Amino acid sequence: MSTNILDSIVEQRKKDIAKFGFTLGFDIPATRARGEVVPFIAEKGTILEVKRASPSKGDIAPALNAADTAVHYAKAGTAAISVLTEQHWFKGSLDDLIAVGKAVDKYAEETKSRRVAVLRKDFLLEPEEVDIAYRCGADAVLLIARILTKEKLAEMAKKCEQYGMTAFVELRLKEDLDKVAFAVKTVSAKYIVCGVNARDLRTFTIDLLTPLALLTDIRAILGENGRVVFESGIRTPEAAAFAGSLGFSGMLLGEAAAKNPAAAGKLVAAFVNAKPDLNAGQWLSHALRLHKRHETGNTKPLVKICGITNQEDAQLAASLGADFLGFIFCSKSPRCTTEKTVRTVAANVKKARYPGVTLVGVITETDSQEGKAALALAREGILDFLQLHGKACIEQFFKSPDLQNLPHYCAVNIAEESDIAFLEELRKRGEPRFLIDAKVQDTLGGTGVCISSPLVEEVRKKNVLWLAGGVTPDNVSQLAETFCPELIDTASGVESSPGKKDSEKLKKLFKAVQSL
């Protein structure tokens, strides 16, 4: 298989159409198999997926019965059901689509409940395939912007409109947005729902911030009430609640629901019942910031200067281009700061001179005096993020439901491969970013020690990299070029003594970053 999985799937589809036609060799009804088209994501809800396999995971639920699974999903309260009809990589079929439509309609009739919308999810290339989907009972079809020209996308969306169906347009890049903008010139936005896939279909890696970055742009095209769906990467109720707090109209769940249809209700409820909170607001702001950087071609890493203890160092770091300023709230650290210092920096640096700088409170305990002070500053909006440093602090934080709406990310100390397993747990619960730092005995940070290169490489295979540990003006260029981190974090590497920054080292660090 080609390293670009999407290209491989499309090429195979072209061969299948050439050999079998648009029916792909299946017996297709001459007229629509269901009644009137059901509105797709008319209000906030989930799309649960009938899915046996995927290119990234292989077999997920190979023995899955499409009709039975669909009934489980309807009982769970989902607004829509996505049916994978691609045969080779996902092991689906048009027979599954027909079976699901019949099953959910029968369930609705027997229970006197609302009918569930059915989506045909496939790699469609031609308008004739929309006709096939309609006859097989689909209420919506997936149109992947990346594999269609703007003219073809508009033509297929127009076909959906003619049938009263919804074009569920999946996008990810700026050129995908341009295609949607072209389509809405001739197709009513009423018949278009946009989905942003957290999974890159070229590599099948996941970034939970990708959907956030495009949310505002999509609604600028579709209108203020434009419907946008968060796709992929959600596997737990905690992650579903995070997606639900971000302002999305819908969430598509694949593997998590297909593997355990009986547990789908918890995922549905977590998404639907989630409300906007401080954590969601900060991650949305961060995603937009990244989006703007990428649009201008800026691929340099964000820079966090940690261990700030005074106004002068904060102002110098901000003036040189620091994106994040870190303040340590831990009595055991020689860089421990005070609430007064943070308030002074917030007033004189962030609000007055450098509004784009992000202020971070680093805590190692939630119930210490220092930790409580940081939590209060985060609630007040003085601190933009809390950095939960160390596994013990992370677990303590997550045990308190009243804390989890506070803006936060996790910092994990890495010394050996077994430490990386904890990162996967954070990914599962929907943490969009985490920082990795060196582990040196019981010291949590500021060690001046680098994480070994093989471990960093292992982490970045699956994750967007935020890197700390031994970053200095002398090695920052090499680290950035080798590992391409989104953010680098340094404390001791730019100090003259613990808690006091060295102006020349700071200037040298930023000069090195700007020259990348």
Side-chain angles (χ1 to χ4, degrees):
M1 184 188 297
S2 164
T3 53
N4 189 325
I5 300 170
L6 184 59
D7 285 348
S8 299
I9 294 172
V10 170
E11 286 307 308
Q12 181 62 52
R13 183 163 201 83
K14 290 177 180 177
K15 292 177 183 177
D16 289 345
I17 291 173
K19 184 175 182 180
F20 300 108
F22 295 114
T23 67
L24 303 175
F26 288 88
D27 186 15
I28 302 303
T31 58
R32 181 171 169 82
R34 302 175 69 196
E36 292 184 2
V37 171
V38 180
F40 181 74
I41 306 297
E43 55 189 37
K44 185 178 181 181
T46 57
I47 309 163
L48 303 185
E49 204 149 71
V50 173
K51 181 178 185 179
R52 294 189 180 88
S54 78
S56 59
K57 298 289 185 180
D59 284 345
I60 294 170
L64 174 148
N65 179 287
D68 291 347
T69 302
V71 172
H72 274 298
Y73 291 167
K75 289 179 179 177
T78 192
I81 295 173
S82 166
V83 186
L84 265 298
T85 58
E86 196 280 332
Q87 302 173 70
H88 301 283
W89 282 268
F90 295 89
K91 300 184 179 179
S93 72
L94 287 168
D95 285 344
D96 288 338
L97 183 62
I98 295 168
V100 166
K102 290 179 178 178
V104 295
D105 284 355
K106 182 180 178 183
Y107 173 79
E109 183 178 350
E110 291 175 347
T111 60
K112 309 300 181 187
S113 57
R114 63 178 174 81
R115 294 169 68 215
V116 175
V118 177
L119 165 73
R120 181 187 181 186
K121 189 175 183 185
D122 209 326
F123 299 79
L124 307 186
L125 300 174
E126 298 294 339
E128 290 85 349
E129 296 183 277
V130 177
D131 176 71
I132 296 294
Y134 175 77
R135 286 157 56 190
C136 289
D139 303 297
V141 295
L142 175 69
L143 303 180
I144 301 173
R146 186 177 295 180
I147 64 175
L148 301 169
T149 65
K150 65 180 182 179
E151 293 82 7
K152 187 68 72 175
L153 177 65
E155 185 182 3
M156 294 173 77
K158 190 67 178 177
K159 176 72 75 171
C160 288
E161 183 180 45
Q162 290 167 358
Y163 282 125
M165 299 169 67
T166 299
F168 180 41
V169 182
E170 181 174 290
L171 42 78
R172 189 179 172 95
L173 306 172
K174 184 182 184 301
E175 46 264 43
D176 299 337
L177 287 166
D178 295 339
K179 292 175 183 179
V180 175
F182 181 81
V184 297
K185 292 178 181 178
T186 56
V187 180
S188 169
K190 174 184 175 182
Y191 296 99
I192 296 177
V193 171
C194 286
V196 188
N197 204 331
R199 177 178 281 113
D200 187 335
L201 292 179
R202 294 170 301 178
T203 62
F204 274 66
T205 56
I206 288 174
D207 179 0
L208 294 181
L209 291 190
T210 298
L212 277 73
L214 296 180
L215 191 59
T216 302
D217 287 345
I218 293 170
R219 288 193 170 137
I221 295 170
L222 296 183
E224 186 178 345
N225 297 318
R227 292 163 292 165
V228 187
V229 172
F230 189 110
E231 295 185 66
S232 297
I234 303 299
R235 291 183 280 171
T236 64
E238 293 88 353
F242 175 65
S245 69
L246 297 169
F248 288 90
S249 309
M251 175 184 67
L252 188 145
L253 281 164
E255 176 188 344
K259 277 188 172 180
N260 189 4
K266 291 182 180 178
L267 295 164
V268 172
F271 174 79
V272 172
N273 296 329
K275 301 291 189 293
D277 58 26
L278 294 173
N279 189 49
Q282 284 296 346
W283 282 116
L284 178 58
S285 295
H286 181 71
L288 290 173
R289 177 184 194 174
L290 292 174
H291 185 47
K292 289 177 182 178
R293 286 169 66 91
H294 293 160
E295 279 194 324
T296 61
N298 184 352
T299 59
K300 297 179 177 65
L302 298 168
V303 178
K304 173 171 173 267
I305 303 299
C306 201
I308 297 288
T309 61
N310 59 79
Q311 160 75 12
E312 294 74 20
D313 287 348
Q315 184 166 321
L316 176 59
S319 69
L320 291 170
D323 301 286
F324 287 58
L325 298 178
F327 303 86
I328 297 174
F329 287 83
C330 173
S331 61
K332 297 177 182 177
S333 171
R335 302 173 183 87
C336 187
T337 192
T338 65
E339 177 184 345
K340 181 179 179 181
T341 297
V342 174
R343 288 187 181 278
T344 300
V345 171
N348 297 334
V349 175
K350 181 171 182 175
K351 291 183 180 179
R353 302 188 183 188
Y354 305 100
V357 72
T358 297
L359 305 187
V360 178
V362 180
I363 63 172
T364 57
E365 298 172 302
T366 61
D367 55 2
S368 66
Q369 182 178 344
E370 293 78 16
K372 289 178 180 177
L375 294 174
L377 288 169
R379 286 192 187 95
E380 194 178 333
I382 301 297
L383 287 172
D384 299 301
F385 278 106
L386 295 166
Q387 178 177 308
L388 315 177
H389 207 106
K391 189 174 180 180
C393 179
I394 294 166
E395 291 175 343
Q396 188 181 31
F397 184 87
F398 288 149
K399 284 179 181 177
S400 303
D402 61 318
L403 297 182
Q404 292 176 40
N405 71 327
L406 294 177
H408 66 273
Y409 63 86
C410 303
V412 180
N413 296 93
I414 304 290
E416 54 193 33
E417 197 156 331
S418 61
D419 295 323
I420 297 175
F422 186 58
L423 302 181
E424 182 62 21
E425 295 304 308
L426 296 176
R427 275 163 48 92
K428 283 182 181 179
R429 64 172 296 124
E431 293 299 308
R433 293 289 187 271
F434 38 74
L435 177 74
I436 59 169
D437 198 355
K439 181 192 284 186
V440 180
Q441 297 177 343
D442 294 330
T443 304
L444 291 175
T447 64
V449 175
C450 292
I451 306 171
S452 72
S453 293
L455 291 176
V456 177
E457 193 62 47
E458 187 66 25
V459 171
R460 81 163 185 144
K461 284 179 183 178
K462 293 183 178 180
N463 309 285
V464 177
L465 187 64
W466 282 18
L467 181 63
V471 178
T472 69
D474 296 322
N475 67 12
V476 67
S477 295
Q478 182 183 354
L479 290 171
E481 290 169 358
T482 302
F483 300 119
C484 302
E486 182 178 275
L487 178 145
I488 54 170
D489 181 328
T490 183
S492 62
V494 289
E495 289 181 334
S496 55
S497 60
K500 177 58 183 172
K501 304 309 177 194
D502 184 300
S503 61
E504 292 307 312
K505 289 181 180 179
L506 277 173
K507 291 173 184 176
K508 185 177 179 181
L509 178 93
F510 282 101
K511 183 177 180 180
V513 171
Q514 291 305 317
S515 68
L516 289 171

